[in-house]
Amino acid sequence: MPGPRKLGISWSENSFTLVETEGNLPVQAVLVSLGDAVKQPDSPFTSDLTEDLQTVALLQKTLRDHKIDESRVYLSLPSKDVILRSFTVPAVKPEELGDLVEFEAKKYVPFNMKELASVYYSAPFVEDKVKKLRVVFCAARKDILDRYERICAQANLVVVRAE
């Protein structure tokens, strides 16, 4: 028996892809080009707001045309909107790691940490008999993430998770 249906949206600069799955199996994938109807950088009438409204309308039309009625969605952000950094830190107690990662990330990230939604993963290793941690830091600006969530909300989609 197949599992529950899920909907994912993978955003890129000029398109988005809707992927509907049932259990672990894909049911359908739909690539939608934002095209000239949405992306008009030279037009004096284009703004982020009008672009967002056109994107919402295109998203709603695509959902209707492909009979997708799942309202919970998982987002995959375009790489241009994701900050990914890797760095090495000394091995510390788990309760100290968050502050150390924030301190190190400030060196490599050109934004105020309060403006970011972030997560990190650490992996221990030994170098020259010294215990260290390799940290992979991943973040997105909150205003950018909010924009994708707002587009989804206006299309009657509830964002469950974003990556």
Side-chain angles (χ1 to χ4, degrees), residues 75-143:
L75 297 182
S76 178
L77 302 180
S79 59
K80 72 178 183 68
D81 292 331
V82 176
I83 300 164
L84 189 60
R85 299 291 184 268
S86 175
F87 45 85
T88 302
V89 296
V92 294
K93 296 177 185 174
E95 59 271 11
E96 298 171 352
L97 185 56
D99 291 336
L100 181 57
V101 168
E102 183 174 339
F103 176 79
E104 285 295 315
K106 286 179 184 179
K107 296 178 187 179
Y108 303 103
V109 177
F111 300 102
N112 184 323
M113 297 300 287
K114 292 178 182 175
E115 296 174 7
L116 302 176
S118 65
V119 65
Y120 64 88
Y121 302 94
S122 63
F125 71 98
V126 176
E127 181 178 70
D128 298 327
K129 299 182 183 179
V130 176
K131 292 181 182 179
K132 297 183 178 184
L133 295 171
R134 165 64 61 194
V135 176
V136 177
F137 177 84
C138 183
R141 287 184 21 213
K142 289 178 182 177
D143 61 330

Side-chain angles (χ1 to χ4, degrees), residues 7 45 56 60 70-71 73 99-100 122 134 144 153 157-158:
L7 176 63
F45 303 107
V56 168
Q60 288 174 323
E70 179 59 44
S71 64
V73 67
D99 291 336
L100 181 57
S122 63
R134 165 64 61 194
I144 301 245
L157 298 171
V158 176

Side-chain angles (χ1 to χ4, degrees), residues 38 64 71:
V38 175
R64 272 192 319 272
S71 64

Side-chain angles (χ1 to χ4, degrees), residues 48-67:
D48 284 345
L49 180 60
T50 58
E51 185 178 312
D52 288 358
L53 291 174
Q54 291 171 336
T55 302
V56 168
L58 187 57
L59 179 55
Q60 288 174 323
K61 180 183 181 324
T62 304
L63 291 168
R64 272 192 319 272
D65 290 352
H66 293 276
K67 297 176 177 46

Side-chain angles (χ1 to χ4, degrees), residues 29-42:
V30 183
L31 174 64
V32 180
S33 173
L34 296 175
D36 294 335
V38 175
K39 297 279 186 186
Q40 300 174 2
D42 298 330

